[in-house]
Amino acid sequence: SIPALPPPETFDILPPLHQLLSRLLAGNPPNLADPSLAAYPDQQHLDIQQLATESSSIKARIRKALAAVRALPDMERTVEEQEEEIEYLESKIRRQRRIIEDMR
């Protein structure tokens, strides 16, 4: 059976990260701020000294996403191990198809 995947919002960190970066740039001179980041009305400027505190929720979301990925089956396996298994299974399928053809 296929294991249940974490909900998509588990990995949705870009909007809060975008908003945080926008707040960092909100008080900068126009030549330093990217106008595409100024997308949040009523945002308050964020001083660099506040960054660690304000980014803690994003860090927590990233940790939660990492934990969700690590909880998926076979995540401890290397790419090489997975490729070996794929080759084995493809070989097994070829043998089974030959047997089915021989039986016809």
XYZ file of all heavy atoms in Angstrom:
831
model
N 0.841 -1.187 0.000
C 0.000 0.000 0.000
C 0.881 1.243 0.000
O 1.972 1.254 0.550
C -0.920 0.000 1.209
O -0.172 0.187 2.384
N 0.376 2.277 -0.600
C 1.117 3.534 -0.692
C 0.885 4.322 0.589
O -0.259 4.533 1.008
C 0.647 4.344 -1.912
C 0.928 3.563 -3.193
C 1.315 5.705 -1.945
C 0.371 4.198 -4.432
N 1.974 4.771 1.237
C 1.796 5.537 2.472
C 1.199 6.911 2.185
O 1.378 7.467 1.100
C 3.227 5.672 3.014
C 4.102 5.546 1.820
C 3.373 4.620 0.875
N 0.492 7.426 3.170
C -0.092 8.760 3.031
C 1.023 9.801 3.030
O 1.938 9.732 3.848
C -1.060 9.022 4.175
N 0.935 10.697 2.095
C 1.921 11.774 2.019
C 1.511 12.917 2.940
O 0.322 13.103 3.213
C 2.027 12.281 0.584
C 2.572 11.302 -0.436
C 2.505 11.900 -1.837
C 4.002 10.918 -0.105
N 2.478 13.685 3.422
C 2.124 14.857 4.231
C 1.318 15.841 3.395
O 1.469 15.892 2.174
C 3.486 15.460 4.600
C 4.498 14.422 4.300
C 3.914 13.516 3.270
N 0.470 16.633 4.023
C -0.312 17.601 3.250
C 0.609 18.632 2.593
O 1.685 18.945 3.118
C -1.213 18.256 4.306
C -0.600 17.944 5.614
C 0.199 16.692 5.451
N 0.208 19.168 1.449
C 1.057 20.111 0.718
C 1.466 21.334 1.536
O 2.565 21.847 1.380
C 0.207 20.527 -0.478
C -0.816 19.470 -0.625
C -1.035 18.881 0.734
N 0.586 21.796 2.411
C 0.914 22.996 3.189
C 2.096 22.779 4.134
O 2.697 23.731 4.609
C -0.303 23.534 3.951
C -0.939 22.570 4.901
C -2.034 21.722 4.261
O -2.233 21.750 3.049
O -2.687 20.993 5.024
N 2.458 21.521 4.366
C 3.637 21.225 5.179
C 4.887 21.827 4.546
O 5.799 22.247 5.247
C 3.820 19.696 5.309
O 2.637 19.138 5.871
C 5.011 19.347 6.174
N 4.921 21.888 3.232
C 6.105 22.342 2.511
C 5.970 23.770 1.976
O 6.836 24.241 1.256
C 6.386 21.392 1.344
C 6.492 19.961 1.797
C 5.438 19.085 1.616
C 7.631 19.506 2.434
C 5.526 17.766 2.047
C 7.727 18.205 2.873
C 6.671 17.340 2.678
N 4.901 24.447 2.337
C 4.630 25.781 1.815
C 5.301 26.842 2.689
O 4.662 27.470 3.524
C 3.128 26.007 1.735
C 2.772 27.208 0.894
O 3.639 27.697 0.151
O 1.617 27.653 0.982
N 6.594 27.043 2.468
C 7.330 28.024 3.268
C 7.645 29.294 2.478
O 8.077 30.288 3.050
C 8.644 27.439 3.815
C 9.565 27.043 2.676
C 8.397 26.300 4.766
C 10.983 26.888 3.072
N 7.434 29.275 1.178
C 7.798 30.440 0.372
C 6.994 31.702 0.696
O 7.586 32.778 0.804
C 7.712 30.106 -1.116
C 8.781 29.138 -1.613
C 8.614 28.878 -3.101
C 10.169 29.639 -1.312
N 5.665 31.643 0.860
C 4.946 32.885 1.193
C 5.428 33.544 2.495
O 5.708 34.745 2.488
C 3.483 32.454 1.271
C 3.411 31.274 0.360
C 4.728 30.552 0.550
N 5.579 32.800 3.605
C 6.071 33.487 4.809
C 7.508 33.971 4.658
O 7.872 35.027 5.182
C 5.953 32.453 5.929
C 5.493 31.199 5.326
C 5.155 31.437 3.900
N 8.319 33.245 3.916
C 9.696 33.681 3.683
C 9.706 34.950 2.830
O 10.449 35.894 3.105
C 10.489 32.566 3.000
C 11.951 32.854 2.719
C 12.702 33.143 4.012
C 12.583 31.676 1.991
N 8.866 34.998 1.829
C 8.741 36.176 0.972
C 8.324 37.388 1.802
O 8.874 38.494 1.652
C 7.728 35.888 -0.136
C 7.608 36.966 -1.145
N 6.713 38.004 -1.006
C 8.275 37.190 -2.307
C 6.822 38.812 -2.049
N 7.764 38.335 -2.851
N 7.355 37.179 2.673
C 6.879 38.286 3.506
C 7.982 38.765 4.458
O 8.151 39.964 4.657
C 5.645 37.871 4.285
C 5.008 39.025 5.021
C 3.670 38.664 5.615
O 3.321 37.500 5.730
N 2.905 39.663 5.991
N 8.732 37.843 5.019
C 9.826 38.212 5.920
C 10.881 39.035 5.180
O 11.336 40.075 5.660
C 10.453 36.949 6.524
C 11.591 37.178 7.500
C 11.064 37.785 8.788
C 12.307 35.872 7.786
N 11.262 38.586 3.987
C 12.245 39.333 3.191
C 11.704 40.704 2.801
O 12.439 41.697 2.792
C 12.625 38.537 1.947
C 13.410 37.255 2.204
C 13.586 36.478 0.905
C 14.741 37.548 2.856
N 10.433 40.761 2.497
C 9.804 42.031 2.152
C 9.888 43.000 3.325
O 10.158 44.189 3.144
C 8.354 41.800 1.754
O 7.700 43.015 1.495
N 9.664 42.510 4.523
C 9.755 43.362 5.715
C 11.179 43.840 5.946
O 11.401 44.955 6.406
C 9.251 42.605 6.933
C 7.741 42.409 6.927
C 7.251 41.708 8.170
N 7.616 42.478 9.354
C 7.728 41.924 10.558
N 7.508 40.648 10.738
N 8.054 42.673 11.588
N 12.157 43.000 5.631
C 13.553 43.419 5.775
C 13.876 44.572 4.825
O 14.621 45.485 5.171
C 14.504 42.258 5.482
C 14.822 41.323 6.625
C 15.627 40.140 6.123
C 15.550 42.032 7.741
N 13.331 44.502 3.625
C 13.626 45.507 2.610
C 12.714 46.724 2.672
O 12.957 47.705 1.978
C 13.536 44.872 1.223
C 14.574 43.784 0.936
C 14.296 43.144 -0.406
C 15.976 44.349 0.992
N 11.684 46.687 3.503
C 10.673 47.745 3.519
C 11.255 49.120 3.838
O 10.813 50.116 3.291
C 9.575 47.405 4.523
N 12.268 49.230 4.675
C 12.789 50.533 5.051
C 14.029 50.932 4.293
O 14.608 51.979 4.562
N 14.459 50.147 3.328
C 15.679 50.432 2.583
C 15.431 51.454 1.479
O 14.313 51.579 0.989
C 16.250 49.149 1.975
C 16.788 48.219 3.037
O 17.217 48.660 4.097
N 16.771 46.942 2.758
N 16.471 52.146 1.034
C 16.313 53.073 -0.102
C 15.823 52.321 -1.337
O 16.090 51.130 -1.492
C 17.733 53.600 -0.320
C 18.457 53.336 0.949
C 17.800 52.139 1.573
N 15.112 53.001 -2.230
C 14.519 52.334 -3.398
C 15.518 51.581 -4.257
O 15.177 50.562 -4.830
C 13.892 53.488 -4.188
C 13.748 54.595 -3.209
C 14.806 54.404 -2.163
N 16.749 52.048 -4.362
C 17.692 51.349 -5.225
C 18.148 50.023 -4.629
O 18.685 49.182 -5.327
C 18.907 52.224 -5.548
C 19.674 52.617 -4.292
O 19.161 52.549 -3.184
N 20.897 53.063 -4.475
N 17.947 49.819 -3.331
C 18.339 48.554 -2.699
C 17.180 47.577 -2.577
O 17.375 46.386 -2.476
C 18.917 48.810 -1.300
C 20.221 49.596 -1.251
C 20.623 49.821 0.196
C 21.312 48.889 -2.011
N 15.979 48.092 -2.548
C 14.801 47.235 -2.363
C 14.259 46.792 -3.712
O 14.155 47.576 -4.641
C 13.724 47.980 -1.589
N 13.922 45.519 -3.802
C 13.301 44.978 -5.008
C 11.821 45.340 -4.946
O 11.113 44.907 -4.041
C 13.500 43.459 -5.030
C 12.893 42.800 -6.259
O 12.238 43.499 -7.056
O 13.074 41.591 -6.410
N 11.308 46.119 -5.895
C 9.902 46.533 -5.833
C 8.932 45.357 -5.863
O 7.831 45.456 -5.373
C 9.720 47.433 -7.056
C 10.922 47.262 -7.887
C 11.999 46.628 -7.057
N 9.336 44.225 -6.409
C 8.432 43.067 -6.444
C 8.230 42.477 -5.054
O 7.305 41.719 -4.831
C 8.979 41.998 -7.383
O 10.181 41.460 -6.867
N 9.094 42.820 -4.131
C 8.931 42.307 -2.758
C 7.980 43.171 -1.929
O 7.593 42.781 -0.844
C 10.291 42.236 -2.048
C 11.223 41.106 -2.455
C 12.565 41.265 -1.793
C 10.613 39.782 -2.151
N 7.671 44.349 -2.388
C 6.806 45.240 -1.611
C 5.345 44.913 -1.895
O 4.580 45.741 -2.354
C 7.120 46.682 -1.957
N 4.936 43.700 -1.612
C 3.596 43.226 -1.967
C 2.660 43.143 -0.771
O 1.544 42.668 -0.909
C 3.708 41.853 -2.613
N 3.092 43.588 0.403
C 2.277 43.437 1.603
C 1.941 44.813 2.167
O 2.800 45.491 2.719
C 3.016 42.592 2.641
C 3.392 41.233 2.104
C 4.658 40.987 1.575
C 2.460 40.204 2.099
C 4.987 39.753 1.067
C 2.785 38.967 1.590
C 4.051 38.741 1.068
O 4.373 37.521 0.562
N 0.676 45.227 2.023
C 0.305 46.527 2.581
C 0.361 46.478 4.109
O 0.185 45.428 4.727
C -1.119 46.731 2.078
C -1.623 45.368 1.773
C -0.420 44.541 1.392
N 0.627 47.605 4.682
C 0.669 47.745 6.148
C 1.744 46.895 6.799
O 1.629 46.538 7.966
C -0.697 47.410 6.777
C -1.810 48.282 6.225
O -1.534 49.471 5.950
O -2.922 47.770 6.058
N 2.779 46.542 6.064
C 3.857 45.764 6.677
C 4.768 46.701 7.465
O 4.946 47.851 7.105
C 4.647 45.000 5.632
C 5.444 45.876 4.699
C 6.148 45.057 3.647
O 6.117 43.853 3.694
N 6.770 45.713 2.703
N 5.327 46.186 8.524
C 6.250 46.964 9.333
C 7.669 46.573 8.974
O 7.955 45.394 8.763
C 6.003 46.712 10.813
C 4.652 47.196 11.285
C 4.449 46.934 12.761
O 5.255 46.289 13.407
N 3.369 47.444 13.294
N 8.531 47.572 8.929
C 9.939 47.310 8.634
C 10.519 46.389 9.703
O 10.213 46.497 10.884
C 10.728 48.625 8.591
C 12.197 48.417 8.463
N 12.762 47.866 7.334
C 13.209 48.655 9.321
C 14.071 47.789 7.511
N 14.364 48.264 8.711
N 11.361 45.483 9.281
C 12.014 44.545 10.181
C 13.502 44.881 10.230
O 14.177 44.862 9.199
C 11.803 43.113 9.682
C 12.436 41.997 10.498
C 11.804 41.929 11.879
C 12.272 40.680 9.779
N 13.988 45.196 11.416
C 15.423 45.430 11.582
C 16.144 44.100 11.598
O 15.596 43.085 12.031
C 15.702 46.167 12.902
C 15.246 47.615 12.846
O 15.344 48.218 11.770
O 14.790 48.125 13.893
N 17.374 44.111 11.138
C 18.163 42.881 11.061
C 18.320 42.234 12.440
O 18.424 41.020 12.552
C 19.535 43.153 10.379
C 20.200 41.852 9.951
C 20.442 43.948 11.300
C 19.560 41.190 8.802
N 18.308 43.034 13.497
C 18.440 42.489 14.851
C 17.223 41.643 15.240
O 17.308 40.785 16.103
C 18.617 43.614 15.893
C 19.903 44.374 15.761
C 19.839 45.476 14.700
O 18.792 45.758 14.138
N 20.989 46.066 14.397
N 16.095 41.876 14.596
C 14.867 41.134 14.887
C 14.717 39.889 14.023
O 13.789 39.108 14.223
C 13.653 42.038 14.663
C 13.622 43.277 15.507
C 12.557 44.233 15.007
O 12.490 44.529 13.816
N 11.721 44.703 15.927
N 15.629 39.704 13.090
C 15.486 38.624 12.111
C 15.425 37.240 12.760
O 14.580 36.425 12.395
C 16.624 38.673 11.097
C 16.570 37.644 9.984
C 15.285 37.777 9.187
C 17.781 37.771 9.078
N 16.295 36.967 13.715
C 16.304 35.640 14.349
C 14.972 35.327 15.011
O 14.430 34.225 14.850
C 17.436 35.559 15.360
N 14.432 36.292 15.703
C 13.148 36.079 16.381
C 12.013 35.908 15.384
O 11.197 34.991 15.502
C 12.836 37.276 17.305
O 13.919 37.448 18.209
C 11.563 37.066 18.079
N 11.978 36.778 14.393
C 10.887 36.752 13.414
C 10.950 35.540 12.481
O 9.937 35.120 11.947
C 10.888 38.040 12.590
C 10.557 39.271 13.398
C 9.121 39.298 13.884
O 8.222 38.857 13.136
O 8.898 39.764 15.012
N 12.139 34.998 12.291
C 12.267 33.843 11.384
C 12.053 32.509 12.094
O 12.045 31.466 11.445
C 13.639 33.855 10.715
O 14.656 33.666 11.679
N 11.847 32.529 13.384
C 11.714 31.271 14.139
C 10.523 30.435 13.661
O 10.609 29.205 13.603
C 11.621 31.539 15.636
O 10.464 32.290 15.932
N 9.415 31.073 13.291
C 8.259 30.289 12.824
C 8.556 29.617 11.489
O 8.114 28.498 11.235
C 7.016 31.168 12.722
O 7.183 32.152 11.724
N 9.329 30.288 10.628
C 9.702 29.685 9.344
C 10.644 28.514 9.585
O 10.514 27.457 8.961
C 10.335 30.734 8.409
C 9.301 31.819 8.079
C 10.855 30.084 7.134
C 9.861 33.000 7.331
N 11.585 28.689 10.500
C 12.500 27.597 10.832
C 11.727 26.395 11.373
O 12.037 25.253 11.036
C 13.525 28.058 11.865
C 14.519 29.049 11.343
C 15.449 29.458 12.477
C 16.261 30.674 12.153
N 17.072 31.108 13.289
N 10.716 26.654 12.187
C 9.903 25.561 12.731
C 9.163 24.835 11.610
O 9.058 23.598 11.625
C 8.919 26.107 13.759
N 8.668 25.581 10.635
C 7.974 24.955 9.504
C 8.934 24.094 8.681
O 8.571 23.014 8.218
C 7.347 26.018 8.608
C 6.162 26.705 9.259
C 5.625 27.770 8.376
N 4.690 27.161 7.424
C 3.726 27.824 6.830
N 3.567 29.103 7.059
N 2.934 27.207 5.987
N 10.165 24.572 8.517
C 11.165 23.798 7.777
C 11.499 22.522 8.527
O 11.596 21.446 7.938
C 12.421 24.649 7.515
C 12.095 25.771 6.519
C 13.567 23.789 6.998
C 13.183 26.808 6.361
N 11.661 22.619 9.853
C 11.933 21.416 10.667
C 10.787 20.422 10.565
O 10.995 19.211 10.453
C 12.199 21.800 12.116
C 13.578 22.388 12.355
C 13.898 22.502 13.838
N 13.026 23.434 14.532
C 13.246 24.746 14.645
N 14.317 25.281 14.100
N 12.392 25.514 15.280
N 9.560 20.926 10.580
C 8.380 20.053 10.458
C 8.372 19.357 9.098
O 8.087 18.162 9.007
C 7.108 20.880 10.645
C 5.837 20.077 10.582
C 4.618 20.956 10.779
C 3.350 20.160 10.616
N 2.150 20.998 10.719
N 8.709 20.087 8.039
C 8.744 19.501 6.700
C 9.839 18.443 6.599
O 9.629 17.369 6.025
C 8.961 20.593 5.649
N 11.005 18.727 7.178
C 12.088 17.736 7.177
C 11.684 16.472 7.922
O 11.964 15.357 7.473
C 13.351 18.328 7.802
C 14.124 19.309 6.934
C 15.225 19.987 7.750
C 14.708 18.608 5.729
N 11.024 16.643 9.053
C 10.573 15.486 9.830
C 9.555 14.676 9.033
O 9.574 13.443 9.055
C 9.984 15.944 11.161
N 8.673 15.357 8.310
C 7.667 14.662 7.498
C 8.323 13.858 6.383
O 7.926 12.734 6.096
C 6.670 15.671 6.917
N 9.357 14.413 5.772
C 10.062 13.704 4.700
C 10.814 12.511 5.274
O 10.791 11.411 4.716
C 11.020 14.652 3.948
C 11.951 13.885 3.046
C 10.219 15.671 3.155
N 11.471 12.722 6.404
C 12.229 11.620 7.017
C 11.324 10.481 7.475
O 11.764 9.339 7.558
C 13.037 12.148 8.199
C 14.218 12.978 7.772
C 15.057 13.401 8.963
N 16.157 14.221 8.528
C 16.425 15.429 9.002
N 15.675 15.945 9.965
N 17.438 16.115 8.542
N 10.063 10.780 7.763
C 9.125 9.758 8.216
C 8.606 8.889 7.075
O 8.021 7.832 7.317
C 7.951 10.415 8.945
N 8.828 9.323 5.839
C 8.380 8.528 4.698
C 9.199 7.244 4.608
O 10.368 7.214 4.992
C 8.525 9.332 3.406
C 7.604 10.538 3.276
C 7.983 11.356 2.045
C 6.158 10.112 3.207
N 8.593 6.174 4.109
C 9.324 4.912 4.019
C 10.494 4.986 3.044
O 10.428 5.700 2.042
C 8.260 3.917 3.546
C 7.189 4.746 2.935
C 7.236 6.079 3.607
N 11.532 4.260 3.367
C 12.723 4.112 2.525
C 13.542 5.383 2.354
O 14.402 5.455 1.487
C 12.367 3.564 1.138
C 11.949 2.102 1.186
O 12.302 1.425 2.168
O 11.281 1.653 0.261
N 13.345 6.374 3.161
C 14.127 7.603 3.041
C 15.572 7.400 3.489
O 16.438 8.186 3.138
C 13.487 8.741 3.851
C 12.208 9.251 3.242
S 12.345 9.738 1.507
C 13.483 11.083 1.595
N 15.817 6.332 4.222
C 17.186 6.073 4.673
C 18.013 5.369 3.589
O 19.225 5.268 3.696
C 17.181 5.234 5.956
C 16.760 3.793 5.775
C 15.266 3.567 5.652
O 14.465 4.504 5.833
O 14.877 2.425 5.355
N 17.352 4.934 2.537
C 18.051 4.225 1.460
C 18.768 5.209 0.542
O 18.283 6.305 0.281
C 17.052 3.407 0.656
C 16.449 2.292 1.504
C 15.392 1.537 0.781
N 15.934 0.971 -0.444
C 15.179 0.580 -1.459
N 13.894 0.694 -1.413
N 15.736 0.077 -2.530
N 19.907 4.779 0.031
C 20.653 5.616 -0.891
C 20.074 5.501 -2.294
O 19.320 4.564 -2.595
C 22.136 5.206 -0.936
O 22.226 3.885 -1.502
C 22.770 5.225 0.446
N 20.460 6.424 -3.145
C 20.018 6.392 -4.543
C 20.511 5.109 -5.203
O 19.779 4.463 -5.965
C 20.533 7.639 -5.294
C 20.254 7.535 -6.781
C 19.907 8.906 -4.729
N 21.750 4.719 -4.887
C 22.319 3.500 -5.474
C 21.507 2.274 -5.082
O 21.245 1.398 -5.917
C 23.777 3.321 -5.042
C 24.730 4.344 -5.620
C 24.679 5.692 -4.888
O 24.218 5.741 -3.726
O 25.073 6.695 -5.493
N 21.088 2.204 -3.817
C 20.267 1.071 -3.379
C 18.937 1.040 -4.124
O 18.461 -0.026 -4.534
C 20.015 1.151 -1.875
C 21.241 0.888 -1.023
C 20.999 1.160 0.446
O 20.197 2.060 0.783
O 21.628 0.478 1.273
N 18.345 2.196 -4.307
C 17.070 2.264 -5.020
C 17.246 1.889 -6.487
O 16.401 1.196 -7.063
C 16.472 3.657 -4.879
C 16.070 3.973 -3.439
C 15.552 5.382 -3.297
O 14.838 5.880 -4.163
N 15.903 6.026 -2.203
N 18.348 2.328 -7.101
C 18.605 1.968 -8.498
C 18.834 0.472 -8.650
O 18.380 -0.128 -9.627
C 19.805 2.750 -9.024
C 19.501 4.219 -9.253
C 20.712 5.040 -9.637
O 21.864 4.573 -9.436
O 20.513 6.163 -10.134
N 19.525 -0.139 -7.695
C 19.724 -1.589 -7.728
C 18.394 -2.316 -7.641
O 18.158 -3.301 -8.357
C 20.635 -2.029 -6.585
C 22.086 -1.668 -6.778
C 22.937 -2.014 -5.560
O 22.445 -2.700 -4.640
O 24.099 -1.589 -5.542
N 17.526 -1.850 -6.757
C 16.214 -2.484 -6.634
C 15.414 -2.314 -7.920
O 14.737 -3.242 -8.373
C 15.436 -1.915 -5.453
C 14.087 -2.602 -5.286
C 13.276 -2.082 -4.115
O 13.629 -1.051 -3.534
O 12.274 -2.736 -3.801
N 15.483 -1.149 -8.534
C 14.767 -0.914 -9.796
C 15.274 -1.870 -10.865
O 14.482 -2.484 -11.593
C 14.914 0.557 -10.234
C 14.117 1.463 -9.291
C 14.459 0.754 -11.678
C 14.388 2.944 -9.475
N 16.585 -2.013 -10.970
C 17.156 -2.940 -11.954
C 16.692 -4.368 -11.683
O 16.332 -5.100 -12.609
C 18.686 -2.873 -11.924
C 19.249 -1.602 -12.501
C 20.759 -1.518 -12.348
O 21.414 -2.564 -12.138
O 21.280 -0.401 -12.438
N 16.694 -4.767 -10.414
C 16.236 -6.116 -10.050
C 14.771 -6.302 -10.451
O 14.408 -7.324 -11.049
C 16.426 -6.359 -8.552
C 15.687 -7.567 -8.060
C 16.166 -8.854 -8.321
C 14.495 -7.439 -7.352
C 15.471 -9.970 -7.895
C 13.802 -8.546 -6.920
C 14.288 -9.812 -7.190
O 13.599 -10.918 -6.764
N 13.935 -5.325 -10.136
C 12.507 -5.451 -10.444
C 12.247 -5.429 -11.946
O 11.381 -6.166 -12.436
C 11.720 -4.337 -9.741
C 11.692 -4.443 -8.206
C 11.064 -3.197 -7.603
C 10.959 -5.704 -7.760
N 13.001 -4.613 -12.678
C 12.848 -4.615 -14.137
C 13.255 -5.956 -14.726
O 12.612 -6.471 -15.649
C 13.672 -3.479 -14.746
C 13.069 -2.109 -14.504
C 13.955 -0.973 -14.977
O 15.173 -1.184 -15.184
O 13.428 0.143 -15.143
N 14.316 -6.541 -14.193
C 14.749 -7.862 -14.643
C 13.677 -8.909 -14.329
O 13.379 -9.782 -15.153
C 16.066 -8.221 -13.952
O 16.395 -9.552 -14.179
N 13.092 -8.816 -13.169
C 12.041 -9.749 -12.766
C 10.830 -9.623 -13.701
O 10.242 -10.631 -14.116
C 11.632 -9.463 -11.320
C 10.642 -10.425 -10.748
C 10.390 -10.121 -9.279
C 9.373 -11.061 -8.692
N 9.138 -10.815 -7.264
N 10.478 -8.400 -14.053
C 9.356 -8.179 -14.968
C 9.659 -8.793 -16.332
O 8.796 -9.444 -16.936
C 9.042 -6.673 -15.093
C 8.441 -6.156 -13.792
C 8.118 -6.385 -16.276
C 8.326 -4.644 -13.724
N 10.893 -8.601 -16.823
C 11.267 -9.190 -18.116
C 11.140 -10.711 -18.071
O 10.632 -11.331 -19.007
C 12.688 -8.781 -18.499
C 12.796 -7.369 -19.031
C 14.157 -7.096 -19.653
N 15.255 -7.212 -18.696
C 15.681 -6.234 -17.902
N 15.082 -5.054 -17.946
N 16.690 -6.429 -17.073
N 11.612 -11.349 -16.990
C 11.502 -12.815 -16.847
C 10.046 -13.251 -16.838
O 9.667 -14.226 -17.483
C 12.203 -13.287 -15.573
C 13.711 -13.281 -15.646
C 14.354 -14.031 -14.473
N 13.854 -13.627 -13.170
C 14.376 -12.641 -12.418
N 15.415 -11.961 -12.863
N 13.866 -12.356 -11.245
N 9.220 -12.525 -16.089
C 7.808 -12.888 -16.009
C 7.122 -12.734 -17.359
O 6.276 -13.555 -17.726
C 7.110 -12.037 -14.937
C 7.535 -12.402 -13.528
C 6.951 -11.474 -12.477
O 6.479 -10.385 -12.774
N 7.006 -11.920 -11.221
N 7.478 -11.707 -18.095
C 6.884 -11.527 -19.428
C 7.298 -12.648 -20.372
O 6.495 -13.119 -21.181
C 7.283 -10.167 -20.001
C 6.537 -9.021 -19.362
C 6.861 -7.704 -20.004
N 6.043 -6.652 -19.402
C 6.353 -5.390 -19.411
N 7.466 -4.979 -20.003
N 5.571 -4.503 -18.844
N 8.574 -13.066 -20.257
C 9.029 -14.205 -21.104
C 8.253 -15.466 -20.746
O 7.854 -16.226 -21.633
C 10.535 -14.434 -20.912
C 11.398 -13.501 -21.742
C 12.844 -13.982 -21.818
N 13.447 -14.098 -20.491
C 14.210 -13.154 -19.932
N 14.469 -12.049 -20.590
N 14.731 -13.342 -18.738
N 8.045 -15.699 -19.473
C 7.293 -16.893 -19.038
C 5.866 -16.823 -19.574
O 5.334 -17.834 -20.069
C 7.305 -17.012 -17.499
C 8.714 -17.359 -17.022
C 6.293 -18.035 -17.013
C 8.896 -17.295 -15.511
N 5.250 -15.669 -19.500
C 3.875 -15.515 -20.014
C 3.840 -15.755 -21.512
O 2.955 -16.435 -22.033
C 3.324 -14.114 -19.660
C 3.080 -14.011 -18.154
C 2.038 -13.809 -20.434
C 2.726 -12.633 -17.674
N 4.835 -15.229 -22.238
C 4.907 -15.447 -23.700
C 5.097 -16.936 -24.002
O 4.477 -17.452 -24.943
C 6.059 -14.636 -24.301
C 5.768 -13.153 -24.422
C 4.593 -12.877 -25.327
O 4.487 -13.503 -26.402
O 3.759 -12.019 -24.947
N 5.930 -17.611 -23.228
C 6.155 -19.049 -23.444
C 4.896 -19.858 -23.172
O 4.648 -20.882 -23.809
C 7.288 -19.556 -22.565
C 8.643 -19.032 -23.013
O 8.744 -18.512 -24.165
O 9.602 -19.114 -22.218
N 4.088 -19.408 -22.232
C 2.869 -20.126 -21.889
C 1.795 -19.966 -22.954
O 0.898 -20.786 -23.062
C 2.347 -19.661 -20.531
C 3.275 -20.034 -19.385
S 2.712 -19.421 -17.814
C 1.468 -20.643 -17.420
N 1.862 -18.899 -23.724
C 0.863 -18.678 -24.802
C 1.124 -19.659 -25.867
O 0.570 -20.223 -26.605
C 0.978 -17.266 -25.346
C 0.475 -16.241 -24.388
C 0.496 -14.882 -25.025
N 0.164 -13.894 -24.008
C 0.216 -12.609 -24.179
N 0.587 -12.119 -25.354
N -0.115 -11.790 -23.235
